[in-house]
mmCIF file of all heavy atoms in Angstrom:
data_model
loop_
_atom_site.group_PDB
_atom_site.id
_atom_site.type_symbol
_atom_site.label_atom_id
_atom_site.label_comp_id
_atom_site.label_asym_id
_atom_site.label_seq_id
_atom_site.Cartn_x
_atom_site.Cartn_y
_atom_site.Cartn_z
ATOM 1 N N LEU M 42 -168.343 157.741 -33.869
ATOM 2 C CA LEU M 42 -168.802 156.582 -34.636
ATOM 3 C C LEU M 42 -170.277 156.299 -34.390
ATOM 4 O O LEU M 42 -171.024 155.983 -35.322
ATOM 5 C CB LEU M 42 -167.977 155.347 -34.283
ATOM 6 C CG LEU M 42 -166.563 155.317 -34.838
ATOM 7 C CD1 LEU M 42 -165.778 154.178 -34.197
ATOM 8 C CD2 LEU M 42 -166.590 155.184 -36.355
ATOM 9 N N ALA M 43 -170.714 156.417 -33.141
ATOM 10 C CA ALA M 43 -172.127 156.194 -32.819
ATOM 11 C C ALA M 43 -173.003 157.186 -33.580
ATOM 12 O O ALA M 43 -174.047 156.811 -34.118
ATOM 13 C CB ALA M 43 -172.349 156.307 -31.315
ATOM 14 N N SER M 44 -172.567 158.416 -33.653
ATOM 15 C CA SER M 44 -173.310 159.428 -34.394
ATOM 16 C C SER M 44 -173.340 159.091 -35.885
ATOM 17 O O SER M 44 -174.386 159.162 -36.530
ATOM 18 C CB SER M 44 -172.681 160.800 -34.172
ATOM 19 O OG SER M 44 -173.344 161.777 -34.926
ATOM 20 N N ARG M 45 -172.199 158.690 -36.413
ATOM 21 C CA ARG M 45 -172.107 158.325 -37.834
ATOM 22 C C ARG M 45 -173.012 157.139 -38.166
ATOM 23 O O ARG M 45 -173.557 157.048 -39.259
ATOM 24 C CB ARG M 45 -170.647 157.990 -38.161
ATOM 25 C CG ARG M 45 -170.384 157.662 -39.594
ATOM 26 C CD ARG M 45 -168.903 157.540 -39.844
ATOM 27 N NE ARG M 45 -168.632 157.005 -41.158
ATOM 28 C CZ ARG M 45 -167.441 156.756 -41.620
ATOM 29 N NH1 ARG M 45 -166.379 156.992 -40.869
ATOM 30 N NH2 ARG M 45 -167.270 156.269 -42.825
ATOM 31 N N MET M 46 -173.194 156.236 -37.201
ATOM 32 C CA MET M 46 -174.037 155.057 -37.399
ATOM 33 C C MET M 46 -175.494 155.311 -37.035
ATOM 34 O O MET M 46 -176.316 154.404 -37.060
ATOM 35 C CB MET M 46 -173.502 153.891 -36.555
ATOM 36 C CG MET M 46 -172.169 153.384 -36.978
ATOM 37 S SD MET M 46 -171.629 152.072 -35.854
ATOM 38 C CE MET M 46 -170.038 151.676 -36.531
ATOM 39 N N SER M 47 -175.814 156.547 -36.667
ATOM 40 C CA SER M 47 -177.166 156.940 -36.252
ATOM 41 C C SER M 47 -177.659 156.122 -35.061
ATOM 42 O O SER M 47 -178.838 155.776 -34.968
ATOM 43 C CB SER M 47 -178.152 156.820 -37.423
ATOM 44 O OG SER M 47 -177.762 157.664 -38.477
ATOM 45 N N LEU M 48 -176.753 155.846 -34.122
ATOM 46 C CA LEU M 48 -177.124 155.160 -32.890
ATOM 47 C C LEU M 48 -177.691 156.191 -31.916
ATOM 48 O O LEU M 48 -177.440 157.395 -32.052
ATOM 49 C CB LEU M 48 -175.901 154.452 -32.296
ATOM 50 C CG LEU M 48 -175.276 153.375 -33.201
ATOM 51 C CD1 LEU M 48 -174.006 152.812 -32.562
ATOM 52 C CD2 LEU M 48 -176.261 152.272 -33.499
ATOM 53 N N PRO M 49 -178.458 155.762 -30.923
ATOM 54 C CA PRO M 49 -179.081 156.709 -29.993
ATOM 55 C C PRO M 49 -178.062 157.651 -29.324
ATOM 56 O O PRO M 49 -177.001 157.207 -28.873
ATOM 57 C CB PRO M 49 -179.735 155.804 -28.946
ATOM 58 C CG PRO M 49 -179.967 154.516 -29.660
ATOM 59 C CD PRO M 49 -178.823 154.376 -30.611
ATOM 60 N N GLU M 50 -178.402 158.913 -29.294
ATOM 61 C CA GLU M 50 -177.500 159.926 -28.743
ATOM 62 C C GLU M 50 -177.491 159.952 -27.219
ATOM 63 O O GLU M 50 -176.563 160.478 -26.619
ATOM 64 C CB GLU M 50 -177.876 161.305 -29.280
ATOM 65 C CG GLU M 50 -177.648 161.428 -30.768
ATOM 66 C CD GLU M 50 -178.024 162.797 -31.303
ATOM 67 O OE1 GLU M 50 -178.192 163.739 -30.502
ATOM 68 O OE2 GLU M 50 -178.147 162.921 -32.528
ATOM 69 N N ASN M 51 -178.522 159.385 -26.597
ATOM 70 C CA ASN M 51 -178.618 159.451 -25.131
ATOM 71 C C ASN M 51 -177.954 158.255 -24.447
ATOM 72 O O ASN M 51 -178.167 158.023 -23.265
ATOM 73 C CB ASN M 51 -180.083 159.553 -24.708
ATOM 74 C CG ASN M 51 -180.891 158.338 -25.139
ATOM 75 O OD1 ASN M 51 -180.498 157.602 -26.028
ATOM 76 N ND2 ASN M 51 -182.042 158.161 -24.516
ATOM 77 N N VAL M 52 -177.157 157.500 -25.178
ATOM 78 C CA VAL M 52 -176.467 156.322 -24.653
ATOM 79 C C VAL M 52 -174.970 156.599 -24.631
ATOM 80 O O VAL M 52 -174.424 157.091 -25.622
ATOM 81 C CB VAL M 52 -176.755 155.088 -25.549
ATOM 82 C CG1 VAL M 52 -175.936 153.892 -25.115
ATOM 83 C CG2 VAL M 52 -178.237 154.771 -25.549
ATOM 84 N N PRO M 53 -174.289 156.291 -23.527
ATOM 85 C CA PRO M 53 -172.824 156.416 -23.547
ATOM 86 C C PRO M 53 -172.228 155.222 -24.304
ATOM 87 O O PRO M 53 -172.560 154.075 -24.020
ATOM 88 C CB PRO M 53 -172.439 156.391 -22.071
ATOM 89 C CG PRO M 53 -173.565 155.708 -21.379
ATOM 90 C CD PRO M 53 -174.802 155.952 -22.212
ATOM 91 N N TRP M 54 -171.365 155.501 -25.277
ATOM 92 C CA TRP M 54 -170.792 154.465 -26.118
ATOM 93 C C TRP M 54 -169.316 154.286 -25.834
ATOM 94 O O TRP M 54 -168.622 155.229 -25.492
ATOM 95 C CB TRP M 54 -170.991 154.812 -27.600
ATOM 96 C CG TRP M 54 -172.430 154.882 -27.972
ATOM 97 C CD1 TRP M 54 -173.196 156.012 -28.097
ATOM 98 C CD2 TRP M 54 -173.305 153.787 -28.242
ATOM 99 N NE1 TRP M 54 -174.486 155.683 -28.424
ATOM 100 C CE2 TRP M 54 -174.578 154.314 -28.517
ATOM 101 C CE3 TRP M 54 -173.150 152.408 -28.278
ATOM 102 C CZ2 TRP M 54 -175.675 153.524 -28.830
ATOM 103 C CZ3 TRP M 54 -174.236 151.607 -28.589
ATOM 104 C CH2 TRP M 54 -175.476 152.172 -28.866
ATOM 105 N N GLY M 55 -168.851 153.076 -26.007
ATOM 106 C CA GLY M 55 -167.438 152.763 -25.863
ATOM 107 C C GLY M 55 -167.002 151.893 -27.027
ATOM 108 O O GLY M 55 -167.802 151.511 -27.879
ATOM 109 N N LEU M 56 -165.703 151.581 -27.051
ATOM 110 C CA LEU M 56 -165.154 150.751 -28.118
ATOM 111 C C LEU M 56 -164.543 149.484 -27.544
ATOM 112 O O LEU M 56 -163.878 149.524 -26.509
ATOM 113 C CB LEU M 56 -164.074 151.513 -28.892
ATOM 114 C CG LEU M 56 -164.540 152.705 -29.702
ATOM 115 C CD1 LEU M 56 -163.343 153.440 -30.287
ATOM 116 C CD2 LEU M 56 -165.475 152.252 -30.814
ATOM 117 N N ARG M 57 -164.758 148.388 -28.256
ATOM 118 C CA ARG M 57 -164.148 147.107 -27.894
ATOM 119 C C ARG M 57 -163.274 146.658 -29.060
ATOM 120 O O ARG M 57 -163.692 146.687 -30.218
ATOM 121 C CB ARG M 57 -165.218 146.055 -27.635
ATOM 122 C CG ARG M 57 -164.634 144.722 -27.144
ATOM 123 C CD ARG M 57 -165.697 143.664 -27.003
ATOM 124 N NE ARG M 57 -166.088 143.245 -28.357
ATOM 125 C CZ ARG M 57 -167.323 142.950 -28.723
ATOM 126 N NH1 ARG M 57 -168.320 143.034 -27.874
ATOM 127 N NH2 ARG M 57 -167.590 142.565 -29.951
ATOM 128 N N ASP M 58 -162.050 146.257 -28.740
ATOM 129 C CA ASP M 58 -161.119 145.741 -29.734
ATOM 130 C C ASP M 58 -161.482 144.288 -30.009
ATOM 131 O O ASP M 58 -161.415 143.444 -29.114
ATOM 132 C CB ASP M 58 -159.689 145.851 -29.196
ATOM 133 C CG ASP M 58 -158.643 145.449 -30.208
ATOM 134 O OD1 ASP M 58 -158.961 144.724 -31.172
ATOM 135 O OD2 ASP M 58 -157.476 145.850 -30.014
ATOM 136 N N ASP M 59 -161.881 143.977 -31.232
ATOM 137 C CA ASP M 59 -162.333 142.626 -31.567
ATOM 138 C C ASP M 59 -161.217 141.591 -31.494
ATOM 139 O O ASP M 59 -161.486 140.405 -31.325
ATOM 140 C CB ASP M 59 -162.959 142.602 -32.957
ATOM 141 C CG ASP M 59 -164.285 143.346 -33.014
ATOM 142 O OD1 ASP M 59 -164.743 143.854 -31.971
ATOM 143 O OD2 ASP M 59 -164.858 143.432 -34.108
ATOM 144 N N SER M 60 -159.964 142.012 -31.594
ATOM 145 C CA SER M 60 -158.861 141.053 -31.591
ATOM 146 C C SER M 60 -158.646 140.404 -30.226
ATOM 147 O O SER M 60 -158.174 139.282 -30.141
ATOM 148 C CB SER M 60 -157.554 141.709 -32.055
ATOM 149 O OG SER M 60 -157.088 142.626 -31.083
ATOM 150 N N ASN M 61 -159.005 141.125 -29.165
ATOM 151 C CA ASN M 61 -158.782 140.588 -27.816
ATOM 152 C C ASN M 61 -159.959 140.830 -26.866
ATOM 153 O O ASN M 61 -159.852 140.551 -25.677
ATOM 154 C CB ASN M 61 -157.504 141.166 -27.217
ATOM 155 C CG ASN M 61 -157.538 142.675 -27.130
ATOM 156 O OD1 ASN M 61 -158.590 143.298 -27.260
ATOM 157 N ND2 ASN M 61 -156.385 143.272 -26.913
ATOM 158 N N SER M 62 -161.037 141.375 -27.368
ATOM 159 C CA SER M 62 -162.262 141.672 -26.605
ATOM 160 C C SER M 62 -162.064 142.696 -25.493
ATOM 161 O O SER M 62 -162.910 142.828 -24.616
ATOM 162 C CB SER M 62 -162.871 140.389 -26.022
ATOM 163 O OG SER M 62 -163.251 139.521 -27.062
ATOM 164 N N ALA M 63 -160.971 143.420 -25.521
ATOM 165 C CA ALA M 63 -160.706 144.434 -24.493
ATOM 166 C C ALA M 63 -161.504 145.704 -24.781
ATOM 167 O O ALA M 63 -161.593 146.151 -25.930
ATOM 168 C CB ALA M 63 -159.222 144.771 -24.443
ATOM 169 N N LEU M 64 -162.065 146.273 -23.729
ATOM 170 C CA LEU M 64 -162.715 147.575 -23.841
ATOM 171 C C LEU M 64 -161.636 148.641 -23.801
ATOM 172 O O LEU M 64 -160.739 148.598 -22.953
ATOM 173 C CB LEU M 64 -163.713 147.790 -22.709
ATOM 174 C CG LEU M 64 -164.943 146.893 -22.749
ATOM 175 C CD1 LEU M 64 -165.788 147.106 -21.503
ATOM 176 C CD2 LEU M 64 -165.766 147.170 -23.995
ATOM 177 N N LEU M 65 -161.720 149.590 -24.722
ATOM 178 C CA LEU M 65 -160.731 150.658 -24.748
ATOM 179 C C LEU M 65 -161.046 151.692 -23.676
ATOM 180 O O LEU M 65 -162.209 151.977 -23.396
ATOM 181 C CB LEU M 65 -160.701 151.320 -26.125
ATOM 182 C CG LEU M 65 -160.412 150.412 -27.319
ATOM 183 C CD1 LEU M 65 -160.227 151.253 -28.579
ATOM 184 C CD2 LEU M 65 -159.215 149.527 -27.093
ATOM 185 N N ASP M 66 -160.012 152.245 -23.090
ATOM 186 C CA ASP M 66 -160.142 153.298 -22.082
ATOM 187 C C ASP M 66 -160.520 154.591 -22.793
ATOM 188 O O ASP M 66 -159.790 155.066 -23.675
ATOM 189 C CB ASP M 66 -158.813 153.453 -21.343
ATOM 190 C CG ASP M 66 -158.881 154.449 -20.196
ATOM 191 O OD1 ASP M 66 -159.533 155.513 -20.332
ATOM 192 O OD2 ASP M 66 -158.267 154.167 -19.158
ATOM 193 N N ASP M 67 -161.646 155.175 -22.403
ATOM 194 C CA ASP M 67 -162.156 156.389 -23.047
ATOM 195 C C ASP M 67 -161.163 157.545 -23.060
ATOM 196 O O ASP M 67 -161.159 158.347 -23.984
ATOM 197 C CB ASP M 67 -163.425 156.883 -22.339
ATOM 198 C CG ASP M 67 -164.636 156.054 -22.658
ATOM 199 O OD1 ASP M 67 -164.590 155.255 -23.611
ATOM 200 O OD2 ASP M 67 -165.651 156.214 -21.951
ATOM 201 N N ASP M 68 -160.360 157.645 -22.013
ATOM 202 C CA ASP M 68 -159.495 158.805 -21.847
ATOM 203 C C ASP M 68 -158.132 158.670 -22.515
ATOM 204 O O ASP M 68 -157.402 159.652 -22.623
ATOM 205 C CB ASP M 68 -159.305 159.101 -20.364
ATOM 206 C CG ASP M 68 -160.621 159.420 -19.678
ATOM 207 O OD1 ASP M 68 -161.483 160.057 -20.319
ATOM 208 O OD2 ASP M 68 -160.802 159.019 -18.520
ATOM 209 N N LYS M 69 -157.782 157.477 -22.959
ATOM 210 C CA LYS M 69 -156.465 157.253 -23.558
ATOM 211 C C LYS M 69 -156.557 157.325 -25.082
ATOM 212 O O LYS M 69 -157.588 156.999 -25.669
ATOM 213 C CB LYS M 69 -155.919 155.888 -23.143
ATOM 214 C CG LYS M 69 -155.571 155.819 -21.678
ATOM 215 C CD LYS M 69 -154.947 154.487 -21.342
ATOM 216 C CE LYS M 69 -154.610 154.436 -19.855
ATOM 217 N NZ LYS M 69 -154.091 153.114 -19.481
ATOM 218 N N PRO M 70 -155.445 157.720 -25.715
ATOM 219 C CA PRO M 70 -155.444 157.802 -27.179
ATOM 220 C C PRO M 70 -155.757 156.446 -27.814
ATOM 221 O O PRO M 70 -155.230 155.412 -27.384
ATOM 222 C CB PRO M 70 -154.016 158.233 -27.515
ATOM 223 C CG PRO M 70 -153.519 158.899 -26.276
ATOM 224 C CD PRO M 70 -154.178 158.175 -25.140
ATOM 225 N N ILE M 71 -156.599 156.474 -28.819
ATOM 226 C CA ILE M 71 -157.002 155.239 -29.485
ATOM 227 C C ILE M 71 -155.798 154.516 -30.086
ATOM 228 O O ILE M 71 -155.705 153.293 -30.037
ATOM 229 C CB ILE M 71 -158.094 155.503 -30.543
ATOM 230 C CG1 ILE M 71 -158.686 154.175 -31.026
ATOM 231 C CG2 ILE M 71 -157.588 156.381 -31.667
ATOM 232 C CD1 ILE M 71 -159.929 154.313 -31.854
ATOM 233 N N GLY M 72 -154.859 155.256 -30.634
ATOM 234 C CA GLY M 72 -153.695 154.652 -31.265
ATOM 235 C C GLY M 72 -152.790 153.906 -30.309
ATOM 236 O O GLY M 72 -152.027 153.037 -30.732
ATOM 237 N N ASP M 73 -152.855 154.238 -29.022
ATOM 238 C CA ASP M 73 -152.044 153.556 -28.007
ATOM 239 C C ASP M 73 -152.693 152.263 -27.525
ATOM 240 O O ASP M 73 -152.076 151.509 -26.781
ATOM 241 C CB ASP M 73 -151.819 154.459 -26.794
ATOM 242 C CG ASP M 73 -150.929 155.646 -27.103
ATOM 243 O OD1 ASP M 73 -150.332 155.686 -28.206
ATOM 244 O OD2 ASP M 73 -150.838 156.548 -26.250
ATOM 245 N N GLN M 74 -153.934 152.010 -27.919
ATOM 246 C CA GLN M 74 -154.682 150.891 -27.357
ATOM 247 C C GLN M 74 -154.984 149.764 -28.342
ATOM 248 O O GLN M 74 -155.547 148.751 -27.945
ATOM 249 C CB GLN M 74 -156.007 151.397 -26.774
ATOM 250 C CG GLN M 74 -155.811 152.413 -25.663
ATOM 251 C CD GLN M 74 -157.126 152.798 -25.070
ATOM 252 O OE1 GLN M 74 -157.760 152.002 -24.378
ATOM 253 N NE2 GLN M 74 -157.573 154.016 -25.347
ATOM 254 N N VAL M 75 -154.613 149.941 -29.592
ATOM 255 C CA VAL M 75 -154.871 148.901 -30.588
ATOM 256 C C VAL M 75 -153.555 148.477 -31.225
ATOM 257 O O VAL M 75 -152.595 149.240 -31.270
ATOM 258 C CB VAL M 75 -155.863 149.375 -31.675
ATOM 259 C CG1 VAL M 75 -157.234 149.664 -31.085
ATOM 260 C CG2 VAL M 75 -155.333 150.578 -32.423
#
Side-chain angles (χ1 to χ4, degrees):
L42 286 169
S44 177
R45 183 172 170 182
M46 294 177 181
S47 299
L48 299 176
E50 294 180 15
N51 62 340
V52 174
W54 297 99
L56 293 174
R57 185 185 73 218
D58 185 339
D59 291 358
S60 70
N61 59 15
S62 298
L64 292 174
L65 303 188
D66 185 320
D67 285 346
D68 299 324
K69 292 184 180 176
I71 191 169
D73 292 350
Q74 300 184 71
V75 296

